[in-house]
Amino acid sequence: MKNKKLIMGIGVMAIMMAVSTGCSNTNTKASTEETTTVPESTMSEEEKRLSDYKTYGMQKDAIPGIIELVKAYQYAKVNADARRMYNVFGRSDEDGLADLQTKLNDEAKVYESFDDVVTYVTKGYEDNSYVVFISSNVKFYDIDTKAPMLTWAYVKEQPKDAFYMVENEEMTADERKFVEEVSKSEDIIALDAQMRKELATAVTSDIQLGTLYSIWVQNAATNESSAAEETTVEETVEAITEDSTVESITESSKEEADVSISETKSGN
């Protein structure tokens, strides 16, 4: 059976343009073209804000259903609940469920909780879809200092008030491009920069957290270059401050399944 890779991935945005509905004979063609979109007068203030992130910015905790969806994802990750994770992605099949359960069992040994969670939302590429960025402080087992983390997900609503995250492989090229555009918005750039700064401070203040992130950075470098060189905390901080920390939501967004917290205690 084909295993589907899930994303923690989040959101879509559909920009609704306000138009004039003037109907003079001299502007018949222009009026016809302009009124192909939803008139501004039919949109609530909330809808306008969600539809135009460039003007209004990303909307903080704007949709209760998406907040609950994010909570369900984080619960499934912390409690190794594969079935609930599938529900988060709108799946009811069994394909790949056992493999996901194995991964979540390993991750649950690392992740203790997600705290101070905030969602930033805008409408997505098409109707009934959203781009969601999630900021949180992650508590790892046996590590006192929490780590700031910024992730995104592409969310759809179908039927009304029923939200699910879209799997990475199911996203279209247009949806991916739209998420990339949103990630370059002033709000997200500023948020990412602030969280990178806070994460760099955290990994230098807590040797166990610094070691854990060093292992992750080393694993990422090994996967890209097949090199197996040890990564120092200083190099980890440099990687954090130079590279965006924004990640898509996945069932295994880091190589945490290969990392034991006991390794961070000894510094190995």
Side-chain angles (χ1 to χ4, degrees), residues 66-109:
I66 290 180
I67 296 174
E68 293 305 311
L69 182 69
V70 171
K71 288 181 179 179
Y73 170 84
Q74 293 173 340
Y75 177 92
K77 198 174 187 70
V78 170
N79 293 279
D81 190 334
R83 172 49 65 192
R84 180 169 297 199
M85 186 69 80
Y86 260 29
N87 291 339
V88 166
F89 289 93
R91 295 182 58 175
S92 58
D93 61 293
E94 301 290 327
D95 187 20
L97 188 62
D99 289 340
L100 175 59
Q101 185 64 64
T102 298
K103 290 181 180 180
L104 290 176
N105 288 342
D106 289 332
E107 291 184 13
K109 299 174 184 177

Coordinates of all heavy atoms in Angstrom, one line a residue, residues 66-109:
I66 N -9.9 26.5 13.3 CA -8.5 26.2 13.0 C -7.7 26.1 14.3 O -6.7 25.3 14.3 CB -8.0 27.4 12.1 CG1 -8.6 27.2 10.7 CG2 -6.5 27.3 12.0 CD1 -8.2 28.3 9.7
I67 N -8.0 26.9 15.3 CA -7.3 26.8 16.6 C -7.5 25.4 17.1 O -6.5 24.8 17.6 CB -7.9 27.8 17.6 CG1 -7.6 29.2 17.1 CG2 -7.3 27.6 19.0 CD1 -8.3 30.3 17.9
E68 N -8.7 24.8 17.0 CA -9.0 23.5 17.5 C -8.2 22.5 16.7 O -7.8 21.4 17.2 CB -10.5 23.2 17.5 CG -11.3 24.0 18.5 CD -10.7 23.9 20.0 OE1 -10.5 22.7 20.4 OE2 -10.5 24.9 20.6
L69 N -8.1 22.7 15.4 CA -7.4 21.8 14.5 C -5.9 21.7 14.9 O -5.3 20.6 15.0 CB -7.5 22.2 13.1 CG -6.9 21.4 12.0 CD1 -7.6 20.0 11.9 CD2 -6.9 22.1 10.6
V70 N -5.3 22.9 15.2 CA -3.9 22.9 15.6 C -3.7 22.2 16.9 O -2.8 21.5 17.1 CB -3.4 24.4 15.7 CG1 -2.1 24.4 16.3 CG2 -3.4 25.0 14.3
K71 N -4.7 22.4 17.8 CA -4.6 21.7 19.1 C -4.7 20.2 18.9 O -3.9 19.4 19.6 CB -5.7 22.1 20.0 CG -5.6 23.6 20.6 CD -6.8 23.9 21.5 CE -6.7 25.3 22.1 NZ -7.9 25.6 22.9
A72 N -5.5 19.7 18.0 CA -5.6 18.3 17.7 C -4.3 17.8 17.2 O -3.9 16.7 17.5 CB -6.8 18.0 16.8
Y73 N -3.7 18.5 16.3 CA -2.4 18.1 15.7 C -1.4 17.9 16.8 O -0.6 16.9 16.9 CB -1.9 19.1 14.7 CG -0.5 18.8 14.2 CD1 -0.2 17.9 13.3 CD2 0.6 19.5 14.9 CE1 1.1 17.7 12.9 CE2 1.9 19.2 14.5 CZ 2.1 18.3 13.5 OH 3.4 18.1 13.2
Q74 N -1.3 19.0 17.7 CA -0.3 19.0 18.7 C -0.5 17.9 19.7 O 0.4 17.2 20.2 CB -0.2 20.3 19.4 CG 0.3 21.4 18.4 CD 0.3 22.8 19.0 OE1 -0.5 23.1 19.9 NE2 1.0 23.7 18.4
Y75 N -1.8 17.6 20.0 CA -2.2 16.5 21.0 C -1.7 15.2 20.4 O -1.1 14.3 21.1 CB -3.7 16.5 21.2 CG -4.1 15.4 22.1 CD1 -4.2 15.5 23.5 CD2 -4.4 14.1 21.5 CE1 -4.6 14.5 24.3 CE2 -4.8 13.1 22.3 CZ -4.9 13.3 23.7 OH -5.3 12.2 24.5
A76 N -2.0 15.0 19.1 CA -1.6 13.7 18.4 C -0.1 13.5 18.4 O 0.3 12.4 18.6 CB -2.2 13.7 17.0
K77 N 0.6 14.6 18.3 CA 2.1 14.5 18.3 C 2.6 14.2 19.6 O 3.5 13.3 19.8 CB 2.7 15.8 17.8 CG 4.1 15.7 17.3 CD 4.5 17.0 16.7 CE 5.9 16.9 16.0 NZ 5.9 16.1 14.8
V78 N 2.1 14.8 20.7 CA 2.6 14.6 22.0 C 2.2 13.3 22.6 O 2.9 12.6 23.3 CB 2.1 15.8 22.9 CG1 2.4 15.4 24.4 CG2 2.8 17.1 22.6
N79 N 1.0 12.8 22.2 CA 0.4 11.6 22.8 C 0.5 10.4 21.8 O -0.1 9.3 22.1 CB -1.0 11.8 23.1 CG -1.2 12.8 24.3 OD1 -1.0 12.4 25.5 ND2 -1.4 14.1 24.0
A80 N 1.2 10.5 20.7 CA 1.4 9.5 19.8 C 0.1 8.8 19.3 O -0.1 7.6 19.4 CB 2.4 8.4 20.4
D81 N -0.8 9.7 18.9 CA -2.1 9.2 18.5 C -2.2 9.3 17.0 O -2.6 10.3 16.4 CB -3.2 10.1 19.1 CG -4.6 9.6 19.0 OD1 -4.8 8.8 18.0 OD2 -5.5 9.9 19.8
A82 N -1.9 8.2 16.3 CA -1.8 8.2 14.9 C -3.2 8.4 14.2 O -3.4 9.0 13.2 CB -1.2 6.9 14.4
R83 N -4.2 7.8 14.8 CA -5.6 7.9 14.3 C -6.0 9.4 14.3 O -6.6 9.9 13.4 CB -6.6 7.0 15.0 CG -8.0 7.2 14.7 CD -8.3 7.2 13.2 NE -8.0 5.9 12.6 CZ -7.9 5.8 11.3 NH1 -8.1 6.8 10.4 NH2 -7.6 4.6 10.8
R84 N -5.8 10.0 15.4 CA -6.2 11.4 15.5 C -5.4 12.3 14.5 O -5.9 13.2 13.9 CB -6.0 12.0 16.9 CG -6.4 13.4 17.1 CD -6.4 13.9 18.5 NE -7.4 13.2 19.3 CZ -7.9 13.7 20.4 NH1 -7.5 14.8 20.9 NH2 -8.8 13.0 21.1
M85 N -4.1 11.9 14.3 CA -3.3 12.6 13.3 C -3.9 12.5 11.9 O -4.0 13.4 11.2 CB -1.9 12.1 13.4 CG -0.9 12.9 12.5 SD -0.6 14.6 13.1 CE 0.6 14.3 14.3
Y86 N -4.3 11.3 11.6 CA -5.0 11.1 10.3 C -6.3 11.9 10.2 O -6.6 12.5 9.2 CB -5.3 9.6 10.1 CG -4.3 8.8 9.3 CD1 -3.0 9.2 9.2 CD2 -4.7 7.7 8.5 CE1 -2.1 8.5 8.4 CE2 -3.8 7.0 7.7 CZ -2.5 7.5 7.7 OH -1.6 6.8 6.9
N87 N -7.0 12.0 11.3 CA -8.2 12.8 11.3 C -7.9 14.3 11.0 O -8.6 15.0 10.4 CB -8.9 12.7 12.6 CG -9.6 11.4 12.9 OD1 -9.8 10.6 11.9 ND2 -9.8 11.0 14.1
V88 N -6.7 14.8 11.6 CA -6.3 16.1 11.4 C -6.1 16.4 9.9 O -6.4 17.5 9.4 CB -5.0 16.4 12.1 CG1 -4.3 17.7 11.6 CG2 -5.2 16.5 13.6
F89 N -5.7 15.4 9.2 CA -5.4 15.5 7.7 C -6.6 15.0 6.9 O -6.5 14.8 5.7 CB -4.2 14.8 7.3 CG -2.9 15.5 7.8 CD1 -2.3 15.2 9.0 CD2 -2.3 16.5 7.1 CE1 -1.2 15.8 9.5 CE2 -1.2 17.2 7.5 CZ -0.7 16.8 8.8
G90 N -7.8 14.9 7.5 CA -9.0 14.5 6.8 C -9.0 13.1 6.3 O -9.7 12.8 5.3
R91 N -8.2 12.2 6.9 CA -8.1 10.8 6.4 C -8.9 9.9 7.3 O -8.8 10.0 8.6 CB -6.7 10.4 6.3 CG -5.9 11.2 5.3 CD -4.5 10.8 5.1 NE -4.4 9.4 4.8 CZ -3.2 8.7 4.5 NH1 -2.1 9.4 4.6 NH2 -3.2 7.5 4.2
S92 N -9.5 8.9 6.7 CA -10.2 7.8 7.5 C -9.7 6.4 7.1 O -10.2 5.5 7.6 CB -11.7 7.9 7.3 OG -12.0 7.8 5.9
D93 N -8.7 6.4 6.2 CA -8.2 5.1 5.7 C -7.2 4.5 6.7 O -6.8 5.2 7.7 CB -7.6 5.2 4.3 CG -6.4 6.2 4.3 OD1 -6.7 7.4 4.6 OD2 -5.3 5.8 4.1
E94 N -6.6 3.4 6.4 CA -5.6 2.7 7.2 C -4.3 2.7 6.5 O -3.3 2.2 7.1 CB -6.1 1.3 7.5 CG -7.4 1.1 8.2 CD -7.3 1.7 9.6 OE1 -6.3 1.5 10.3 OE2 -8.4 2.2 10.1
D95 N -4.2 3.2 5.3 CA -2.9 3.1 4.6 C -1.8 3.9 5.2 O -1.9 5.1 5.4 CB -3.2 3.7 3.2 CG -2.0 3.5 2.2 OD1 -1.1 2.6 2.5 OD2 -1.9 4.2 1.2
G96 N -0.7 3.2 5.6 CA 0.4 3.9 6.3 C 0.2 4.2 7.7 O 1.1 4.8 8.4
L97 N -0.9 3.8 8.3 CA -1.2 4.2 9.7 C -0.2 3.6 10.7 O 0.2 4.2 11.6 CB -2.6 3.8 10.1 CG -3.2 4.3 11.4 CD1 -3.2 5.8 11.5 CD2 -4.6 3.7 11.7
A98 N 0.1 2.3 10.4 CA 1.1 1.6 11.3 C 2.4 2.3 11.3 O 3.1 2.4 12.4 CB 1.2 0.2 10.9
D99 N 2.9 2.7 10.1 CA 4.2 3.4 10.0 C 4.2 4.7 10.8 O 5.1 5.1 11.5 CB 4.6 3.6 8.6 CG 5.0 2.3 7.9 OD1 5.3 1.3 8.6 OD2 4.9 2.2 6.6
L100 N 3.1 5.4 10.6 CA 3.0 6.7 11.3 C 2.9 6.5 12.8 O 3.6 7.3 13.5 CB 1.7 7.4 10.9 CG 1.4 8.7 11.6 CD1 2.5 9.7 11.4 CD2 0.0 9.3 11.1
Q101 N 2.3 5.5 13.3 CA 2.3 5.2 14.7 C 3.7 5.0 15.2 O 4.0 5.4 16.3 CB 1.4 4.0 15.0 CG 1.2 3.7 16.5 CD 0.5 4.8 17.2 OE1 -0.7 5.1 16.9 NE2 1.1 5.5 18.1
T102 N 4.5 4.2 14.5 CA 5.9 4.0 14.9 C 6.6 5.3 15.0 O 7.4 5.5 16.0 CB 6.6 3.1 13.9 OG1 5.9 1.8 13.9 CG2 8.0 2.8 14.3
K103 N 6.5 6.2 14.0 CA 7.2 7.5 14.1 C 6.7 8.3 15.3 O 7.5 8.9 16.0 CB 6.9 8.2 12.8 CG 7.6 7.6 11.6 CD 7.3 8.5 10.3 CE 8.0 7.9 9.1 NZ 7.7 8.7 7.9
L104 N 5.4 8.3 15.5 CA 4.9 9.1 16.6 C 5.3 8.6 17.9 O 5.5 9.4 18.9 CB 3.3 9.2 16.5 CG 2.8 10.0 15.3 CD1 1.2 9.9 15.3 CD2 3.2 11.5 15.4
N105 N 5.4 7.3 18.0 CA 5.9 6.7 19.3 C 7.3 7.2 19.6 O 7.6 7.5 20.8 CB 5.9 5.2 19.2 CG 4.6 4.6 19.2 OD1 3.6 5.2 19.6 ND2 4.4 3.3 18.7
D106 N 8.2 7.3 18.6 CA 9.5 7.9 18.8 C 9.5 9.3 19.2 O 10.2 9.8 20.1 CB 10.4 7.6 17.6 CG 10.7 6.2 17.4 OD1 10.8 5.4 18.4 OD2 10.9 5.7 16.2
E107 N 8.6 10.1 18.4 CA 8.6 11.5 18.7 C 8.0 11.9 20.1 O 8.4 12.9 20.7 CB 7.7 12.2 17.6 CG 8.3 12.2 16.2 CD 7.5 12.9 15.2 OE1 6.6 13.7 15.7 OE2 7.7 12.8 14.0
A108 N 7.1 11.1 20.5 CA 6.5 11.3 21.8 C 7.5 11.2 23.0 O 7.3 11.7 24.1 CB 5.3 10.4 22.1
K109 N 8.6 10.6 22.7 CA 9.7 10.5 23.7 C 10.5 11.8 23.8 O 11.2 12.0 24.7 CB 10.7 9.3 23.3 CG 10.0 8.0 23.3 CD 11.0 6.9 22.8 CE 10.3 5.5 22.7 NZ 11.2 4.5 22.1

